[in-house]
Structures are given as structure tokens and as C-alpha cells.
Amino acid sequence: MSIKTVAEFMQEAMYNPKNGYYIKQNPIGRARDFITAPEISQLFGEIIGIFCVSEWMRIGSPASFNLIELGPGRGTMMQDILRGTKHVKGFKEAINLHFVETNENHIKIQKELFLGNWHSEISSVLFDKPFILLANEFFDCLPINQYIFSQDGWCERCIIDNKDFVNVKVDHELAKYLSREYQNVPINSIVEINYPARNMVEYLCQVLKTMKGSVLIIDYGYDLDLPLGSSLQAIKSHKFHSIFENIGEADLTAHVDFRALRKIALENKLNPLPVMTQRDFLLKYGIDLRASILMKNALTEESEDIKRGLSRLIDNNQMGELFKVLNISYQF
Ligand code: SAH
């Protein structure tokens, strides 16, 4: 009999060196498991490019800075960023590219596209110059732990023999912490904590205290005081899938708790912007204007494509509302 925490289960399915999903599979694309914003429309990466230029200027247009991307996948967003910003004076020359990526198929694709530095973990990136760090659909990959407030108190929601859930009582310290963080929750409520995501944001906040920079996190998730319920999901071939079937061959993710990540920045006395929806963020940086310029120069069919892409990215019943954006930056 084996009992694993949800985090151990995710870690094993996604990252085991032999056949982990984020090590060995080829997940992104229309014919694969899922499709991401940069793969939907070039508008997405282009707008992130505008964000990068505006942040670069805000931190004083440094002659050399690190442009870091976590989990670049097929490299589409970075290609669109670089193409869209190539005429900005001094920007291109200032960029040192760094990628943090575990998937060997993705690394191969990225190495064909870019000259840069590859890392398997963020801790091996040297933060020795100003930086802009981007993470699109990266934090949802990181393993979460789930806890449940049962009749007998706080338990960890574990997985038995890779086929069912079982509750295991947590120790006194953790129970105290959970009671404090999640007060007055109804019996059988499930809460999720993404420890690696929290640790990574804490790490980046420490960096931001000593180095000018800007961190942009985009993902599906919530911005709630008390998020309850399991958001653990498996996706294969664009469809929801049982988490217990085809382990290592379906994408396992969880929604990102943006409120918790922003709180870490606040506790570090940084001044993060409020969490925005993807819709508000992309409109703030002019996605509708960019779309109309592209459409003016396009054939009818291409123009329809651009319009469809824009809708998918910003409509509230598509990605606009579900996806959130957190920007934490260096304070002057
Ligand atoms: N940002 C891309 C890809 C998103 S999919 C896009 O928007 O299209 C998530 C990416 O993160 C994949 O490339 C996956 O291989 C990578 N990844 C997942 N977990 C990782 C980890 N712990 N460290 C580094 N890369 C990781």
C-alpha cells in the first residue's frame, strides 16, 4: 500500500526523471494536450513585449538586463516579444536571455530559436543585474498540498495506491497554522497550498529588495480571501481526465492562489499592484489597439483570425476572467 500527499503524487507524475510529464512529453499544441495564450495569438506575446519595454524604461533603461522566462514551452511568447520590440532603441541590445525549463523536448525547441542560458531551477539564475521575469502558465504546474477540515479536525488529503483519496491527520503545528489561515470554514472544506509557488515568490521578493526588476505571473487562478475546494485537474487531448488514469501522460495542474502570492510581496514590504484579470491587463497595455492595427493590414480571413484570437484572450467567458496577472516590482 502506498500513501502519497497530493504534492508527492504530482511531483512523481510530472517530474520523475524517467517519464515525468514535464520532463518527457510534448504537451502544447492543437494536436497535443492543451493550448496556451501565446499559442492562440501573436497579440499575447506582443503585449507582453510592450509590458517588458515599459518596465525596462521604468527601471532606468539599463544597458544590460536579464530577461528571464519560467517554463517557456515552445518559445512562442518570447519570439513574439522579441519580434514586437525589435525597433525599440537600445532594448534588444540590452537583453540577456535566461530560460528555466525542465522539459527536454521544449529545451530542444527553445535552443533552436534563441541564444540564451538554460537553467533547470530558478536558484541557478544569477541575479547580478536588473531583470524582468515572466511566467505564463508556469505556477499552475507546481505541486500543491491539499488539506481538509474534517469532523476530526484538519487532515491532509492524500492519495492511496494512486487510485483514491484518503484523509490523514496533520500534526498539531500544521493544524494550528491551518486554523489560523482558514478560519470558520464549513466541515469538509478543502484548501490548497502551493508551497513551491510560495517559496519561489518569497525568493523573488528577496531579490527585488536588492536588485531593480519586475516579476510578471500570469495563470489561471483565483484572487479570493478564502478559496475553498479542490482545483486539481488533469487534462489530456484538450479534455478533462481522471487524475488517476494515464498517470504521467496527462497534464496535472491546480489553480493558482494569487491572493496568497501577493500577500508574500506585501509581507516583504514590496508594493505589488492589485491582482488583475488577464482581460484588464491586456487592455491596459493596448491589445485592442494592436489588434486593430493588425486587422487593418490583413486579408479578410486573417482579420477574422485576429478577432477570434483577441476574443479568446480577453472575453470574460473565455480566458479574460479566469486568468489573472500579478506584477511585483522593485520600488523606487
Ligand atoms: N509558458 C508556455 C508554456 C506553459 S506550459 C506557454 O505559455 O505556452 C508549462 C511549461 O513549464 C512547460 O514548458 C513545462 O515543461 C515547464 N515546466 C513545468 N514545471 C517546471 C519546473 N518546475 N521548472 C521548469 N519548467 C517547468
Side-chain angles (χ1 to χ4, degrees), residues 15 22 28 34 36 38-39 69-73 100-103 106 120 136-138 141-142:
Y15 298 108
Y22 295 129
I28 308 167
F34 58 87
T36 57
E39 305 288 333
E69 186 176 359
L70 309 183
V100 180
E101 177 63 67
T102 47
N103 184 303
H106 290 164
S120 57
N136 185 58
E137 288 208 37
F138 172 81
C141 302
L142 303 175

Side-chain angles (χ1 to χ4, degrees), residues 2 8 10 15 29 44 56 59 70 75 81-82 144 162 184 187 216 220 263 280 293 303 317:
S2 96
E8 285 162 353
M10 288 177 84
Y15 298 108
F44 186 80
W56 174 68
I59 58 179
L70 309 183
I81 292 174
L82 298 178
I144 53 158
N162 287 350
N184 304 322
I187 292 285
L216 188 73
Y220 42 92
K263 192 166 149 219
D280 289 348
I293 293 170
S303 185
N317 57 358

Side-chain angles (χ1 to χ4, degrees), residues 8-28:
E8 285 162 353
F9 177 76
M10 288 177 84
Q11 179 73 30
E12 168 66 19
M14 298 296 105
Y15 298 108
N16 90 65
K18 237 176 61 219
N19 48 14
Y21 187 81
Y22 295 129
I23 309 287
K24 294 281 182 191
Q25 299 279 327
N26 246 321
I28 308 167

Side-chain angles (χ1 to χ4, degrees), residues 159-319:
I159 291 171
I160 185 163
D161 291 338
N162 287 350
K163 57 176 194 237
D164 208 354
F165 288 104
V166 59
N167 294 341
V168 177
K169 269 207 106 151
V170 303
D171 67 34
H172 182 65
E173 276 305 299
L174 183 53
K176 241 170 55 187
Y177 171 79
L178 292 168
S179 303
R180 211 171 45 235
E181 286 294 299
Y182 303 96
Q183 286 175 20
N184 304 322
V185 297
I187 292 285
N188 287 335
S189 298
I190 295 171
V191 301
E192 299 180 332
I193 300 186
N194 190 328
Y195 293 105
R198 291 186 183 189
N199 292 341
M200 203 171 283
V201 169
E202 174 65 36
Y203 181 78
L204 292 169
C205 287
Q206 295 306 326
V207 174
L208 280 170
K209 289 181 186 174
T210 58
M211 186 55 78
K212 286 183 185 176
S214 189
V215 171
L216 188 73
I217 300 170
I218 307 176
D219 228 304
Y220 42 92
Y222 33 75
D223 178 29
L224 299 170
D225 262 336
L226 195 60
L228 298 179
S230 171
S231 73
L232 181 64
Q233 63 184 32
I235 299 263
K236 189 165 169 55
S237 307
H238 304 269
K239 292 203 177 72
F240 289 108
H241 192 272
S242 157
I243 65 162
F244 300 126
E245 278 168 37
N246 302 89
I247 296 170
E249 286 170 29
D251 186 29
L252 271 184
T253 60
H255 283 33
V256 175
D257 182 352
F258 276 90
R259 184 81 48 107
L261 299 184
R262 182 168 184 270
K263 192 166 149 219
I264 294 167
L266 291 171
E267 283 164 0
N268 275 293
K269 309 246 166 344
L270 295 165
N271 209 357
L273 292 178
V275 175
M276 295 173 95
T277 62
Q278 174 165 301
R279 174 188 177 80
D280 289 348
F281 177 82
L282 293 176
L283 286 172
K284 175 177 165 190
Y285 285 93
I287 195 167
D288 46 351
L289 197 66
R290 178 69 190 141
S292 57
I293 293 170
L294 281 181
M295 277 155 71
K296 224 182 270 162
N297 301 319
L299 303 169
T300 321
E301 203 175 302
E302 290 168 350
S303 185
E304 282 303 310
D305 241 24
I306 296 165
K307 219 156 103 189
R308 256 197 308 274
L310 178 67
S311 298
R312 280 187 74 179
L313 293 177
I314 68 169
D315 282 3
N316 282 340
N317 57 358
Q318 304 225 28
M319 297 175 84

Side-chain angles (χ1 to χ4, degrees), residues 50-160:
I50 295 174
F51 165 85
C52 289
V53 170
S54 91
E55 286 302 275
W56 174 68
M57 289 176 168
R58 198 179 58 79
I59 58 179
S61 309
S64 177
F65 77 101
N66 286 338
L67 182 54
I68 306 162
E69 186 176 359
L70 309 183
R74 293 156 53 95
T76 309
M77 182 170 92
M78 189 57 81
Q79 273 185 297
D80 292 339
I81 292 174
L82 298 178
R83 191 193 58 255
T85 57
K86 67 176 181 239
H87 298 304
V88 179
K89 205 165 167 275
F91 182 71
K92 190 171 84 186
E93 299 71 24
I95 296 174
N96 303 279
L97 281 178
H98 290 269
F99 299 106
V100 180
E101 177 63 67
T102 47
N103 184 303
E104 52 195 43
N105 299 316
H106 290 164
I107 294 173
K108 198 160 153 255
I109 297 173
Q110 294 155 17
K111 285 193 169 165
E112 282 164 13
L113 295 173
F114 311 111
L115 282 176
N117 307 278
W118 276 262
H119 309 263
S120 57
E121 287 183 25
I122 195 166
S123 55
S124 67
V125 178
L126 196 59
F127 284 90
D128 57 347
K129 37 169 85 81
F131 73 99
I132 296 172
L133 180 142
L134 309 169
N136 185 58
E137 288 208 37
F138 172 81
F139 280 79
D140 64 284
C141 302
L142 303 175
I144 53 158
N145 289 75
Q146 291 191 331
Y147 303 102
I148 181 162
F149 185 59
S150 76
Q151 300 279 5
D152 312 325
W154 283 102
C155 294
E156 174 134 21
R157 200 165 180 241
C158 292
I159 291 171
I160 185 163

